[in-house]
Amino acid sequence: MRKPLLLAAALLLTASLAHGQISFATLNGQAAGAYQAKRYAESGKLYDRAFKAKQARPTAGDYYNAACSWALAGNPRQAFRYLDQATEAGWENLAHLQQDPDLASLHADKRWAPMLTKLQAAATRREANYNRPLKQQLDSIYALDQGGRQRYGIILNKYGQKSPQMDSLIQAMDVIDARNLRRITALLDAHGWPSKAAVGNTGTQTVFLVLQHSDLPTLQKYFPLAQQAAEQGNLAKSELALMQDRLLMWQGKGQLYGSQVVRNPNTGKLEFAPIEDETRVDERRATVGLGPLADYAKRFGFEYTPKK
């Protein structure tokens, strides 16, 4: 995120494009956009290309997302292939995988049960050195944090944004978020940011999610800890970018990576919160592993034309 790193990344990206190559981050972002648009086969093919791109460094989550796209596209062979790679790359959230509707079509496949067994065995090996009480605490917080948010889309589609059902859901989420925040800030104040070695990927991501759903004073207080965690490899740079953008937006400043989407009070349509130096936003996004902003916009159902 420092200027020298940004310049180097921009030069690398320019050189890559000049030789007809598309970066991993760009293809990964396009794949996510195609998934959001329900073009699942296209999304799967873009993930295939992304993982073969020069200097590609897919995470367990990237492989998992590719598996979801191929499962929804009706290609179980590719879906299981990427679930296997997600397991090898460190995917550990077995409960999420079992409940994910994207993978429902795979449940009757004879490869499903062996895959779960392999994933559970791999997770057990990794967790042998975890801080189990802390991991269990963070896992329970994660489930509470995501539970209501997984229902959000269902309630929105069925009843609408301005409905008693949505009001009830948001009120319940606010109560849960406040309770989770007390538990997470107590942990951070007493022990600092937990390491992946102690609680795994989901554990560290839980801390990020709860802080991201907090407020300006809380984010200001703990953002330096998040920066340190990212430097030590205990928080993804992309997640730090989202946190920084939200902090800047709440401070009334322009965001750097364009991750924050707001609803225009006049038109009622979704749009990006103001972006600092918008002509170079995709360069900055590439340095933290985020795809082009135009593809990101499609996830929220609106079009974005890059500034020149």
Side-chain angles (χ1 to χ4, degrees):
M1 288 182 293
R2 299 291 184 266
K3 286 186 178 179
L5 176 62
L6 176 60
L7 179 58
L11 290 173
L12 285 172
L13 179 60
T14 302
S16 175
L17 293 176
H19 287 83
Q21 297 177 349
I22 304 178
S23 72
F24 166 75
T26 297
L27 290 166
N28 212 36
Q30 291 175 348
Y35 167 90
Q36 193 67 29
K38 299 184 179 180
R39 300 192 303 270
Y40 300 122
E42 178 185 340
S43 175
K45 291 176 183 177
L46 285 165
Y47 278 121
D48 291 349
R49 290 178 59 195
F51 300 154
K52 294 176 183 178
K54 192 174 182 180
Q55 296 182 329
R57 293 184 178 85
T59 66
D62 294 328
Y63 287 127
Y64 181 86
N65 291 339
C68 290
S69 291
W70 278 122
L72 291 167
N75 189 329
R77 183 183 66 82
Q78 281 291 79
F80 278 108
R81 173 192 171 196
Y82 283 129
L83 286 175
D84 187 60
Q85 289 183 268
T87 299
E88 293 177 1
W91 182 268
E92 59 188 20
N93 198 333
L94 181 63
H96 178 85
L97 181 147
Q98 289 176 302
Q99 297 171 6
D100 193 340
D102 285 358
L103 303 177
S105 65
L106 305 181
H107 292 187
D109 193 291
K110 64 181 181 181
R111 290 166 287 191
W112 180 255
M115 183 274 299
L116 292 179
T117 300
K118 181 179 179 179
L119 176 58
Q120 183 62 68
T124 299
R125 288 194 298 271
R126 283 192 297 272
E127 292 175 7
N129 297 319
Y130 283 177
N131 181 329
R132 289 184 178 274
L134 180 56
K135 177 74 164 62
Q136 291 172 352
Q137 179 185 359
L138 290 170
D139 284 350
S140 69
I141 293 173
Y142 178 90
L144 289 169
D145 179 87
Q146 292 298 294
R149 289 172 172 85
Q150 290 174 347
R151 293 178 56 211
Y152 184 90
I154 298 172
I155 298 295
L156 179 65
N157 292 333
K158 189 172 183 179
Y159 300 106
Q161 182 68 42
K162 296 182 179 180
S163 64
Q165 291 83 358
M166 182 61 77
D167 290 342
S168 177
L169 175 62
I170 291 176
Q171 289 174 7
M173 287 169 56
D174 286 344
V175 172
I176 291 171
D177 285 352
R179 187 184 306 136
N180 285 343
L181 185 60
R182 288 194 294 270
R183 296 170 69 183
I184 289 297
T185 53
L187 164 67
L188 292 173
D189 291 342
H191 305 290
W193 198 285
S195 69
K196 287 184 179 180
V199 298
N201 293 318
T202 304
T204 57
Q205 186 185 46
T206 297
V207 179
F208 156 74
L209 289 170
V210 172
L211 291 178
Q212 191 75 343
H213 300 149
S214 63
D215 51 38
L216 176 57
T218 302
L219 217 51
Q220 285 178 316
K221 178 179 179 180
Y222 295 103
F223 184 70
L225 265 184
Q227 288 179 302
Q228 185 180 31
E231 291 169 359
Q232 296 172 345
N234 293 316
L235 178 67
K237 291 181 179 179
S238 59
E239 292 174 338
L240 181 68
L242 266 63
M243 184 179 288
Q244 185 172 11
D245 271 358
R246 183 157 294 186
L247 177 59
L248 289 168
M249 181 183 70
W250 282 347
Q251 291 174 330
K253 302 175 182 178
Q255 56 177 327
L256 294 177
Y257 303 97
S259 65
Q260 302 303 295
V261 175
V262 297
R263 193 173 296 278
N264 187 301
N266 298 320
T267 66
K269 295 181 179 180
L270 294 177
E271 60 185 27
F272 291 116
I275 301 171
E276 182 73 18
D277 190 13
E278 193 169 347
T279 58
R280 301 181 65 190
V281 63
D282 278 342
E283 295 177 16
R284 293 192 295 272
R285 288 175 65 84
T287 67
V288 294
L290 295 172
L293 200 58
D295 294 324
Y296 184 66
K298 292 177 183 178
R299 302 190 195 186
F300 299 91
F302 67 96
E303 296 294 324
Y304 170 79
T305 302
K307 302 295 182 182
K308 297 182 179 180

